Amino acid sequence: MAMPPIQFDRATGVLQGANAWERLAAVALSAGSKVASSFSHRGYNMCANMLRRTLPERDIDIRLNADATFAFPYGDGYWSKLLNRSFSYENELELLFRDSADVDYTLLDCGANYGYWSVLISSAPYGSHKAIAIEPSSQNFAKLKHNAEINGNRFEAMKCAIGAARGTARLSGTKHEALSIAGAAADGGEDVPVIALDNLLDDGKVSAGGKFLIKLDVEGVEIEAIKGGTRLLQGDSVLLCEEHGNDPHHTVSRYILEQTPLKLIVYDPRSSRMETVTELSILDRIKVSTHVGYNVFGTASVFWLDRISALNAKRRAQ
């Protein structure tokens, strides 16, 4: 029988249901994140995962806000940063999602992992939006489904990968946050179904006249996924796409800028604004760490371009 989850409230810092060793581990995981934040959390995941081996196998339920609970295995190197209450996950996305709380949009959470953003976006403080969380990994999908269940099944979970067209692919990798169908099939892994973004229109999952924020965290198949979403991206959609820090050629951004009709936008921490990218050299300055991902935005929607412009105006006025 599984042990009941530890509970942690990010608003208050209260930790419940943990024994003395697990409490000490929480202090270490939080303090480690605070220290590691000054160098982009390099090495944090590895240290946390080593600590995790000394802990009983159980989940921790993190209360992200009064209407959002996010569960993951206690000590997980990727997600334990959330024990550090000053840590903010993917700031540039947080900025857009919070500003869009009043917009009637659907989140397409592609490469959803355990469903962090689907949990948040479907919560009341973010506008209680419809979300479809898409995740190919069987292990990750089980945790994604669990997070849907503990939040009242208010978002849909689909077990598949996103690519250029329907088919199957081999999913492999060693880290739950970095599994991929890109490259040669490795030993192990699993065969997974693949759909294109536009298939969500074909299958009646979404309607062409809707507004969409499309989070694309698909580990190396971003360009194929963009190719498979031509119709969806012609409408009121924003692509939220990961540019990896270890790619000096800015491959994904270059494709969006040079091969699609989408305007390319990036959050510039220097100006604290969403900047339209006309020259890729701006990314040389923004991508300061080689081991993390940076989100860029692509849209052809006048509605969303106006919203982003208004968001910049608000930040200027603050």
Side-chain angles (χ1 to χ4, degrees):
M1 185 175 172
M3 296 176 70
I6 297 167
Q7 296 177 320
F8 179 72
D9 190 321
R10 288 202 89 203
T12 64
V14 172
L15 184 76
Q16 294 179 305
N19 65 31
W21 173 235
E22 289 165 334
R23 286 185 172 277
L24 189 60
V27 172
L29 290 164
S30 175
S33 172
K34 289 174 183 173
V35 171
S37 64
S38 61
F39 41 90
S40 305
H41 282 93
R42 183 181 288 277
Y44 177 86
N45 291 21
M46 181 183 70
C47 293
N49 283 327
M50 287 173 64
L51 176 60
R52 178 182 174 185
R53 292 184 201 137
T54 70
L55 297 166
E57 282 192 28
R58 65 192 299 201
D59 275 1
I60 183 167
D61 287 358
I62 303 261
R63 196 178 194 201
L64 301 175
N65 64 45
D67 190 36
T69 300
F70 180 63
F72 57 87
Y74 189 47
D76 177 84
Y78 189 77
W79 290 114
S80 288
K81 304 175 190 78
L82 293 171
L83 286 160
N84 169 13
R85 293 165 63 205
S86 61
F87 170 71
S88 180
Y89 181 64
E90 298 189 314
N91 284 331
E92 62 275 34
L93 300 189
E94 175 83 22
L95 188 65
L96 182 62
F97 288 142
R98 280 207 172 273
D99 188 67
S100 305
D102 63 323
V103 177
D104 182 13
Y105 74 84
T106 297
L107 172 70
L108 302 180
D109 190 2
C110 305
N113 190 259
Y114 301 166
Y116 176 87
W117 283 119
S118 290
V119 168
L120 266 187
I121 294 315
S122 58
S123 73
Y126 285 76
S128 300
H129 293 290
K130 180 182 176 183
I132 301 175
I134 300 170
E135 170 58 44
S137 159
S138 294
Q139 286 190 321
N140 288 358
F141 188 76
K143 293 176 174 63
L144 171 64
K145 282 287 288 180
H146 176 66
N147 275 315
E149 287 161 7
I150 64 175
N151 288 279
N153 285 310
R154 66 190 183 207
F155 63 86
E156 181 179 356
M158 293 177 63
K159 188 187 177 304
C160 56
I162 294 292
R166 289 190 204 269
T168 58
R170 191 76 176 169
L171 180 76
S172 57
T174 56
K175 300 176 182 176
H176 71 75
E177 69 272 21
L179 300 174
S180 179
I181 60 171
D187 291 338
E190 60 181 308
D191 290 326
V192 296
V194 179
I195 66 166
L197 284 169
D198 282 345
N199 294 147
L200 296 171
L201 292 168
D202 303 331
D203 298 344
K205 292 285 186 185
V206 299
S207 58
K211 293 181 173 65
F212 302 98
L213 294 178
I214 306 169
K215 185 179 187 313
L216 208 57
D217 189 357
V218 290
E219 302 297 336
V221 290
E222 290 83 2
I223 290 172
E224 288 82 355
I226 294 168
K227 289 176 181 176
T230 305
R231 282 178 288 145
L232 201 56
L233 293 170
Q234 284 172 348
D236 283 328
S237 296
V238 183
L239 195 61
L240 320 171
C241 203
E242 190 173 64
E243 245 304 341
H244 209 280
N246 66 5
D247 177 11
H249 303 294
H250 319 309
T251 306
V252 175
S253 292
R254 187 179 301 276
Y255 180 81
I256 293 171
L257 191 63
E258 297 178 358
Q259 303 294 329
T260 79
L262 309 177
K263 285 191 181 300
L264 182 67
I265 296 161
V266 66
Y267 176 73
D268 186 349
R270 183 182 290 183
S271 64
S272 297
R273 287 164 47 88
M274 301 283 194
E275 303 285 5
T276 302
V277 177
T278 52
E279 295 287 337
L280 289 171
S281 56
I282 186 176
L283 295 174
D284 293 326
R285 174 165 55 78
I286 291 171
K287 290 165 59 175
V288 294
S289 178
T290 57
H291 73 289
V292 300
Y294 296 83
N295 286 290
V296 296
F297 304 81
T299 186
S301 164
V302 172
F303 171 83
W304 284 112
L305 288 169
D306 286 348
R307 287 288 303 201
I308 290 168
S309 178
L311 171 59
N312 280 336
K314 281 184 219 170
R315 291 181 69 77
R316 240 191 338 259
Q318 286 174 353

